[in-house]
Amino acid sequence: MYESGMRLPAFIKSQALALLAAWLLTPFVHALPSDKEQPIHIKSDTAEIDDAKGISIYRGNVNIDQGSMNLKAEVVTIYNDEEGISKVIAVGSPAHYRQQSEENEPFTHAFGNTINYFLADERIELRKNAKLQQEQDSFTGDRIDYDMKTRKVNAYSNQTSGNDSRVQMVLQPKKNKTNPGNGDDSDQ
């Protein structure tokens, strides 16, 4: 269910939601080309690696870097299969994912008490206190699910909390690149 405090016709609201989410979530699909060629650096207080099961668990102030990608959480569990990493689950208060999709572009930040990233399915779930942010544009909710293949977003509020936990979007006006002045287009 989409919910928003904005009063827009349903079609426009759903289109704006889809476009914003696609724009904010692009880095999950299209990271800097050099990122995947960079080494992965993992720092944590403890590490459990079970090669037989294909599971690695990192606990305590976990910090994972690969190129422009950074993941910070209290616990990160990485699942491997015969094709490589299949799933990453990050848990924190909140966990924080950051990545840049192109040189000279702003970083996209994703937050959630749990971040589930299903690489094979190309699907991301942000759970509890979910937030996506790029510069001053943001998208928040109790839960945000994104299917990268279909570019479908489902955002949910917490219906049981009783407080103002509705899905919210903040969209800044796009700057006019042809006239970077004070916004006055009139001839004087």
Side-chain angles (χ1 to χ4, degrees), residues 2-67:
Y2 294 108
E3 289 192 29
S4 174
M6 301 175 74
R7 301 273 187 229
L8 296 173
F11 175 75
I12 293 172
K13 189 185 331 180
S14 66
Q15 292 301 313
L17 180 63
L19 288 172
L20 174 66
W23 179 63
L24 287 172
L25 289 164
T26 296
F28 287 111
V29 184
H30 305 289
L32 285 174
S34 61
D35 279 357
K36 62 184 166 194
E37 298 167 9
Q38 300 295 318
I40 298 172
H41 299 273
I42 303 173
K43 295 177 186 174
S44 65
D45 293 341
T46 66
E48 288 177 46
I49 301 170
D50 187 334
D51 281 335
K53 292 183 179 177
I55 299 173
S56 302
I57 303 171
Y58 303 92
R59 290 186 172 91
N61 197 24
V62 182
N63 192 344
I64 301 175
D65 289 299
Q66 184 181 26

Side-chain angles (χ1 to χ4, degrees), residues 88-155:
V88 176
I89 299 175
V91 178
S93 298
H96 176 214
Y97 178 91
R98 180 198 77 191
Q99 191 156 23
Q100 186 177 30
S101 61
E102 294 184 31
E103 290 283 337
N104 303 318
E105 289 294 319
F107 282 87
T108 296
H109 298 266
F111 301 89
N113 289 6
T114 302
I115 299 175
N116 298 317
Y117 185 14
F118 302 93
L119 282 76
D121 295 338
E122 296 182 40
R123 191 167 48 87
I124 294 174
E125 301 171 345
L126 304 174
R127 301 282 189 246
K128 298 290 178 199
N129 301 310
K131 181 176 183 178
L132 288 169
Q133 183 173 357
Q134 188 172 57
E135 291 187 317
Q136 293 181 341
D137 291 340
S138 65
F139 185 23
T140 61
D142 187 59
R143 187 173 111 204
I144 300 171
D145 297 339
Y146 181 60
D147 184 321
M148 293 175 267
K149 289 179 187 176
T150 62
R151 297 179 65 161
K152 182 178 178 183
V153 176
N154 288 316

